[in-house]
Amino acid sequence: MAGSLKESELSVKIYNKLQALGCPSVEGLFLREADGMKALLCTPSMHRLDILQWICTSICPPMKKRFSELKGPQPDSQIKELVQFCHEMLLCRQDDFDLIKGVSSPQRQLALLEQLVDVLPRDESEAGEPLSEQVCRNEALLKELFSSPHLQTMLHPTCNPWPVEIRELLSRREAAGQSSNTASKKSHNLPSKQREDSLKEVTESLQKTNTALEEIHKECVFLHSDPQSSGRSSTHLSPPALRLAIVDLSQLMTAFSQLYDSDFREYCNRAAPQLRESAEAFSTAHSLLAACTKELQALNQLSVTSLALTSTVEGQQQCRRFWSRGHMQSLRELHTCTFSLPPPWVL
């Protein structure tokens, strides 16, 4: 019910937009109900194809030449041209003929029509402007932009617009580039013997690094294990999984460092709070109140137990049983009869 209501509202919206834009296919129609508008826009017919053709030619005026070359009513060729145009507009697939024919669901058809109507030019001057004039206007705008003296100021601003972390990264790169340039200049100025010594040191450090990497590679079994066996055993990690875990960890650390610098640093640098002397008094009062609460709970439990015991005794006294002489009496009745009889020596 909600979906049909939404489709009806969308049909009314598209129909009103087409009338406001002056679509000739809906000028002579006086539809008042939403069901009629939905049937017009979502039912397969030549009238619906004419509406789509007008929308496409209004968006792209060169399309009029293609449709004028079609001799007579050829719905198949018209549908192919419309599908090709919508595919170029990234609104449908290249083989989505049912959507243009009007066979697909009304929701998809109305969504396509809404997107096409939104692209339509609202101004008559914009709609009637030839493509050559648009190109000339754009070229003039680009010439004005590149000839402007403010272009270099925009490309190299005095106030750097990058965030703090990007500025730090760029400054590190610039410093690394400057240090590498100075190192290369110094290496060119050094004599040949010193160059050979520095080259030997670099070679030795590279060999040590390579040896350390080989040892680490031997320790990591999952890097040189068989992919089939590693697929069977769940304990081995694959290199893509390790890379993904490292990337996730790096992103988490970067996010935490940024959050720490922006929000948490000022709170972490604060001194410890000073405890007042009255804190011990509050602790003593709390312990006394806890002991009093326990005593009250014990007294409450004692009263509950006493009530339960009293009810049990009363139940035993009122319960009728067989006693001596074959009479069924309660304990209270038996006690009353015992005290009411005369002593045996009197009898």
Side-chain angles (χ1 to χ4, degrees), residues 60-252:
C60 182
M63 288 285 294
K64 294 180 181 178
K65 186 177 179 181
R66 293 187 187 178
F67 288 111
S68 63
E69 292 176 355
L70 301 176
K71 297 180 180 179
Q74 298 182 5
D76 294 337
S77 303
Q78 190 178 7
I79 289 171
K80 288 181 181 178
E81 292 291 340
L82 292 172
V83 169
Q84 183 65 26
F85 176 77
C86 293
H87 175 66
E88 292 175 357
M89 294 281 291
L90 303 177
L91 298 177
C92 69
R93 298 189 303 272
Q94 197 168 5
D95 58 346
D96 205 351
F97 296 100
D98 293 340
L99 180 61
I100 304 300
K101 288 180 183 178
V103 183
S104 60
S105 62
Q107 188 175 3
R108 289 193 62 202
Q109 298 183 50
L110 292 174
L112 174 67
L113 287 171
E114 184 182 18
Q115 290 174 336
L116 287 173
V117 170
D118 289 339
V119 180
L120 282 173
R122 297 293 184 270
D123 193 5
E124 294 182 357
S125 61
E126 182 183 356
E129 187 178 8
L131 183 61
S132 58
E133 294 183 4
Q134 294 181 12
V135 172
C136 294
R137 185 162 51 84
N138 293 335
E139 287 181 354
L141 180 61
L142 289 175
K143 285 181 182 178
E144 182 181 358
L145 176 63
F146 284 106
S147 61
S148 174
H150 304 290
L151 180 62
Q152 296 299 325
T153 307
M154 293 169 60
L155 295 177
H156 304 285
T158 55
C159 181
N160 202 334
W162 294 109
V164 180
E165 57 272 11
I166 305 297
R167 282 187 226 162
E168 186 177 358
L169 181 61
L170 292 175
S171 62
R172 287 179 184 175
R173 287 185 178 178
E174 290 178 0
Q178 292 177 1
S179 62
S180 62
N181 292 332
T182 53
S184 61
K185 290 179 181 179
K186 289 180 180 179
S187 63
H188 286 298
N189 297 329
L190 290 174
S192 59
K193 187 176 181 180
Q194 293 184 1
R195 287 182 188 176
E196 291 177 358
D197 295 338
S198 61
L199 184 61
K200 287 180 181 179
E201 292 178 0
V202 172
T203 306
E204 290 176 357
S205 63
L206 286 175
Q207 288 177 354
K208 291 179 181 178
T209 306
N210 192 15
T211 306
L213 287 174
E214 288 178 356
E215 292 178 356
I216 294 172
H217 190 272
K218 290 178 182 179
E219 293 178 1
C220 298
V221 184
F222 55 86
L223 293 177
H224 50 78
S225 60
D226 190 7
Q228 296 180 356
S229 62
S230 64
R232 293 193 208 112
S233 61
S234 60
T235 56
H236 290 170
L237 292 174
S238 61
L242 183 60
R243 293 193 197 98
L244 181 62
I246 292 173
V247 170
D248 291 343
L249 180 61
S250 174
Q251 291 178 356
L252 289 173

Side-chain angles (χ1 to χ4, degrees), residues 300-335:
N300 185 26
Q301 188 66 30
L302 180 61
S303 62
V304 171
T305 306
S306 176
L307 289 174
L309 184 60
T310 304
S311 63
T312 304
V313 171
E314 288 180 356
Q316 290 290 337
Q317 289 179 355
Q318 294 175 2
C319 182
R320 299 174 67 84
R321 295 182 183 180
F322 287 100
W323 301 95
S324 62
R325 301 176 186 176
H327 296 289
M328 187 175 181
Q329 294 175 336
S330 63
L331 186 62
R332 183 175 297 174
E333 292 174 354
L334 180 63
H335 180 73

